[in-house]
Amino acid sequence: AVEQVRREKLDFLLAVGGGSVIDGTKFVAAAVNYAGEPWDILETSGKHVSQALPMGCVLTLPATGSEMNCLAVVTRKSLQAKLSFASPLVFPRFSVLDPVRTFTLPPRQIALARFPRLQVTYRFVDVDEPGRAGFMRYFDLYMQRGGG
């Protein structure tokens, strides 16, 4: 995607999707004008990002809060690595969500959308499997009691 954006000389990126799509778009936005190997952005947590293409979001699934922050988590399957970076330069210029599109989502998904900061924390902190399981037990109990 980075090479295609460079080749096409695009000057704006639009992420249409959920958190993973938005995070991937943030990475591309930062990588397009990055002088080094793009993966270095993630290995240095974004410390050397000095410019990024502007981007916007059309959110199709509320969940991670990626549409309203300057953080991104990207997976590189070939290395079996999942790394994060942050830069104010990748903060979306706008985010759009038609709430009507959420009416058919399962209640559990809507409730998860109410926990974006906690979810992001769990993505950025090395939490062991029992810790994740404990969080999900708490979340399921929250949902059983009305989720609201």
Side-chain angles (χ1 to χ4, degrees), residues 122-135:
Y122 266 69
R123 289 163 103 179
F124 282 92
V125 176
D126 184 22
V127 178
D128 60 8
E129 198 52 45
R132 275 191 284 281
F135 168 73

Side-chain angles (χ1 to χ4, degrees), residues 2 22-32 38-39 41-42 72 74 85 90:
V2 172
I22 295 168
D23 286 358
T25 304
K26 289 177 182 180
F27 175 70
V28 171
V32 166
W39 189 248
I41 293 169
L42 295 158
V74 177
F85 82 100
V90 297

Side-chain angles (χ1 to χ4, degrees), residues 70-105:
C70 61
L71 309 169
V73 178
V74 177
T75 300
R76 188 170 183 179
K77 290 183 182 182
S78 64
L79 298 177
Q80 296 182 344
K82 186 173 189 175
L83 298 176
S84 62
F85 82 100
S87 171
L89 299 171
V90 297
F91 196 97
R93 298 287 174 97
F94 65 86
S95 298
V96 178
L97 169 65
D98 180 355
V100 172
R101 300 291 175 213
T102 66
F103 291 175
T104 59
L105 293 173

Side-chain angles (χ1 to χ4, degrees), residues 19 59 61-67 109 112-117 119:
L59 198 61
L61 181 67
T64 66
S66 193
E67 74 281 2
Q109 179 64 47
L112 277 170
R114 298 182 74 175
F115 285 79
R117 301 230 173 184
Q119 287 179 308

Side-chain angles (χ1 to χ4, degrees), residues 45 110 117 123 135 142 144:
S45 301
I110 296 298
R117 301 230 173 184
R123 289 163 103 179
F135 168 73
Y142 170 80
Q144 289 169 9

